[in-house]
Amino acid sequence: MAYETIIVETRARVGLITLNRPQALNALNTTVMKEMVEALQDFEADGAVGAIVVTGSEKAFAAGADIKQMQQMSYIDAYMEDFFAGWEAMTRIRKPIIAAVAGYALGGGCELAMMCDFIIAAENAKFGQPEITLGVMPGMGGSQRLTRFVGKSKAMDMCLTGRMMDAEEAERCGLVSRVVPVGDLHEEALKAAGKIASFSLPAVMMAKEAVNRSYETTLAEGLRYERRVFHSMFALDDQSEGMTAFIEKRTPNFRHR
Ligand code: CO8
């Protein structure tokens, strides 16, 4: 399938999606949203793919929603088409998604990175929610997800002043899981995704679901949910294979990948 705004490839068991609107620093418009969702859903359905990486260019992961597309939009247009609600489909993907971020991840770009399961940042990454400088506010999860990632004080700082956060600060406050040299970003992200894809896919998907559940529930309910899912794993061949392989000092050969 040929796409206009993204490049879609497979590397071993990893699906790789690269945002490709260099003339607009990968700004997100409706076409990007539709194509990304379609590519993600294809990877979700593809038994040969166990994990996904979403990335941009060295200069920009994505510099936000497309300001040129939004400039003329009226309230009724935005409301009736439920502008950008289509991105929510991304959060229904059950396979893990890693954001590999170099350069600018601003506005919708930062929000897109936060919709992934974790973020690996290059040393030149810059995160920000600069919508306030355009007379608006975050609309794709920035006020909610950023607050859960970094806490109220930093989220308020970012959303109200519009300032950017560098990779070092982003790692320090928990927005990103690790920072790597720019030249190593793709390799590190593909390596992490490849590792995930080598494990039992149902176990990986259940772990992802359990971590995500912690955002939506109380600690007591979350712990109960985790224990129930953990118990259910004893119905998987892969539990038996994983534990047997450990005892036999060999590499497990997971059936469900
Ligand atoms: N939208 C459209 N075009 C963009 C965007 C963008 N977000 N960002 C950059 N571009 C374009 C520029 O217009 C320019 O195009 P041209 O050459 O035709 O003039 C090209 O990309 C290169 O950009 P610059 O010349 O500005 O590059 P610089 O290196 O000088 O600056 C910056 C880089 C600092 C990243 C700068 O481009 C910038 O500030 N960009 C805008 C960042 C921003 O404000 N982002 C937030 C957008 S609003 C948003 O994301 C809301 C999300 C929620 C929507 C959900 C609704 C429900």
Side-chain angles (χ1 to χ4, degrees):
M1 167 90 201
Y3 291 105
E4 192 188 313
T5 63
I6 57 174
I7 298 166
V8 179
E9 300 158 83
T10 317
R11 305 276 175 88
R13 289 185 44 76
V14 177
L16 175 63
I17 302 176
T18 306
L19 293 158
N20 187 33
R21 294 190 74 212
Q23 73 288 1
L25 300 184
N26 291 331
L28 309 171
N29 60 18
T30 308
T31 309
V32 179
M33 177 180 77
K34 287 184 179 148
E35 293 189 345
M36 277 280 287
V37 167
E38 193 175 322
L40 287 165
Q41 288 172 342
D42 284 349
F43 282 144
E44 178 88 328
D46 185 345
V49 168
I52 300 160
V53 172
V54 173
T55 196
S57 69
E58 201 169 303
K59 178 161 186 195
F61 177 74
D66 192 322
I67 299 167
K68 290 167 190 165
Q69 181 186 17
M70 291 185 296
Q71 186 208 3
Q72 301 288 343
M73 191 180 285
S74 67
Y75 166 72
I76 196 69
D77 293 338
Y79 179 76
M80 291 310 284
E81 78 167 79
D82 206 1
F83 179 61
F84 267 16
W87 284 107
E88 279 170 16
M90 190 163 171
T91 63
R92 290 192 290 275
I93 299 296
R94 296 164 77 207
K95 290 177 182 171
I97 308 173
I98 300 174
V101 175
Y104 297 110
L106 302 178
C110 184
E111 294 167 311
L112 172 61
M114 291 190 291
M115 274 191 253
C116 298
D117 295 310
F118 63 96
I119 302 172
I120 300 181
E123 281 166 351
N124 73 341
K126 288 200 181 309
F127 299 88
Q129 297 291 159
E131 291 89 344
I132 201 74
T133 67
L134 301 168
V136 291
M137 59 171 273
M140 257 171 76
S143 66
Q144 304 302 301
R145 288 197 182 92
L146 185 63
T147 310
R148 284 165 163 83
F149 273 100
V150 304
K152 177 180 168 183
S153 189
K154 269 198 194 289
M156 283 288 192
D157 183 358
M158 305 293 289
C159 293
L160 299 184
T161 70
R163 81 168 171 91
M164 292 184 211
M165 190 189 267
D166 66 18
E168 194 255 310
E169 182 181 4
E171 186 182 30
R172 187 158 23 94
C173 66
L175 178 58
V176 311
S177 70
R178 33 180 142 157
V179 178
V180 299
V182 182
D184 296 348
L185 178 68
H186 284 179
E187 195 189 322
E188 289 293 325
L190 288 168
K191 206 158 78 181
K195 179 108 185 141
I196 293 168
S198 76
F199 298 135
S200 164
L201 183 58
V204 162
M205 285 166 44
M206 286 180 202
K208 166 171 169 163
E209 194 175 346
V211 174
N212 281 335
R213 181 61 71 97
S214 74
Y215 274 87
E216 307 288 347
T217 192
T218 63
L219 179 60
E221 277 308 314
L223 290 170
R224 194 206 314 268
Y225 175 80
E226 180 193 66
R227 195 160 55 242
R228 288 288 169 263
V229 175
F230 181 82
H231 291 165
S232 76
M233 290 178 143
F234 289 86
L236 293 175
D237 301 342
D238 287 342
Q239 167 273 326
S240 168
E241 169 60 11
M243 294 188 180
T244 304
F246 175 81
I247 289 163
E248 293 177 352
K249 300 190 189 301
R250 61 173 173 82
T251 308
N253 181 18
F254 293 120
R255 192 174 134 203
H256 300 288
R257 281 198 295 196

